[in-house]
Amino acid sequence: MFEPNSTIGWAIGRMTMITGDLILFLRAPKLEDSGWQAERKPTDLIWLFLVNCMIVATIAAILVPVMLAFGISMSNSMSDLFQRPVWQLLLIVVVVGPIFEELMFRSWLSGSPRLLIPFSGLFLWMALTYSYEQLGLAGPASMGTAVLLALIASAVLIGVIAWWSRPVPNWYVRIFPVIFWIQALLFGSVHVFNYAGDNPAALLPFVLPQIVGGLIWGYARIRYDWWANIIMHMAYNLIATSGLVYILLTRPDVL
């Protein structure tokens, strides 16, 4: 239909190549060395982002009418967010949010010990402080939290210095496919709180776009390095936010 050497034919060829590589990766996720990463062309991210948008647009074409039909609305916290001035909304959703989420969910995905250790320390601190509050342990919570944070921060600092140049652990390489899929599913699942409803499980289908994002941005993290997933996440949120602002103006009852 299109000549291979034509502009359209070339563009379709690039998208087909990127999509094929993405599918192969998702079927069997594996780590690549930094030298292989350096050979990737940053411009390929444009085609990967287009693939991302096309998949999400297809999903949205199904989910949005379902949301409208069943009266699924955004949560109060999300509605409050969209009441902020536009510059604050863009700063939070397009800049701060993507950076924070990518640091939490994918910065460590390469398996480097100097990244895994800080992430493990942060996860441990969040889990222990939550348990501390739930158990109602004696003593001022602020004092206990400060001591706990100091101990974990010291351990993280020592670990990072000691393991800075260590290679990716073999155990991490072996279980990487499981870790990769868990991060994507977990990333998508936490976005269920963007929606209002008495049964969170019933809202899980509506986080499919975020799960797709977790998979594609995770792929970008491994294939292109730490900056690629952040840029893609920011660009995606910019487009998604523009769409939500449009819905807010035309159908405020949805939000």
Side-chain angles (χ1 to χ4, degrees):
M1 183 175 180
F2 297 108
E3 293 295 330
N5 294 328
S6 68
T7 301
I8 296 178
W10 175 81
I12 292 177
R14 295 302 296 172
M15 289 189 66
T16 301
M17 184 197 74
I18 293 295
T19 303
D21 188 63
L22 173 64
I23 292 173
L24 288 175
F25 180 87
L26 295 181
R27 290 177 60 185
K30 68 177 182 177
L31 293 169
E32 302 289 348
D33 58 39
S34 57
W36 190 91
Q37 274 182 342
E39 296 175 1
R40 304 293 295 186
K41 296 180 180 179
T43 52
D44 285 343
L45 283 176
I46 298 174
W47 306 110
L48 180 61
F49 183 69
L50 288 176
V51 171
N52 190 171
C53 291
M54 291 171 62
I55 295 174
V56 172
T58 302
I59 295 174
I62 300 172
L63 292 182
V64 171
V66 173
M67 289 181 65
L68 296 175
F70 288 90
I72 303 297
S73 61
M74 306 302 289
S75 65
N76 291 335
S77 60
M78 286 295 293
S79 297
D80 291 342
L81 178 62
F82 277 84
Q83 301 306 315
R84 293 174 176 267
V86 174
W87 72 269
Q88 290 186 12
L89 177 64
L90 293 177
L91 178 64
I92 294 171
V93 177
V94 180
V95 180
V96 177
I99 291 176
F100 175 77
E101 290 182 342
E102 292 305 314
L103 288 175
M104 282 292 297
F105 287 94
R106 282 169 284 278
S107 63
W108 48 270
L109 199 55
S110 63
S112 172
R114 62 176 178 266
L115 297 176
L116 283 176
I117 291 173
F119 172 76
S120 300
L122 177 61
F123 181 80
L124 179 61
W125 176 66
M126 293 172 62
L128 290 179
T129 51
Y130 176 79
S131 300
Y132 186 95
E133 295 174 357
Q134 293 300 311
L135 293 175
L137 298 179
S142 58
M143 178 75 71
T145 301
V147 172
L148 185 61
L149 178 59
L151 291 174
I152 294 177
S154 299
V156 166
L157 180 60
I158 294 172
V160 168
I161 294 174
W163 290 76
W164 182 265
S165 300
R166 298 289 184 90
V168 178
N170 290 331
W171 62 264
Y172 186 87
V173 175
R174 288 195 296 270
I175 66 172
F176 176 74
V178 176
I179 291 176
F180 181 86
W181 276 90
I182 287 178
Q183 64 82 24
L185 294 174
L186 184 59
F187 173 74
S189 298
V190 298
H191 285 82
V192 74
F193 298 106
N194 289 354
Y195 304 96
D198 297 329
N199 184 5
L203 300 175
L204 286 176
F206 299 101
V207 301
L208 281 174
Q210 285 82 10
I211 293 176
V212 169
L215 293 172
I216 294 180
W217 303 334
Y219 164 85
R221 169 68 181 93
I222 299 302
R223 285 291 201 244
Y224 297 91
D225 216 345
W226 61 269
W227 53 271
N229 48 304
I230 295 177
I231 290 177
M232 290 190 66
H233 195 160
M234 286 181 171
Y236 174 86
N237 277 17
L238 177 61
I239 294 176
T241 301
S242 301
L244 288 174
V245 170
Y246 174 78
I247 293 175
L248 177 64
L249 295 175
T250 57
R251 289 290 304 274
D253 57 296
V254 174
L255 299 176

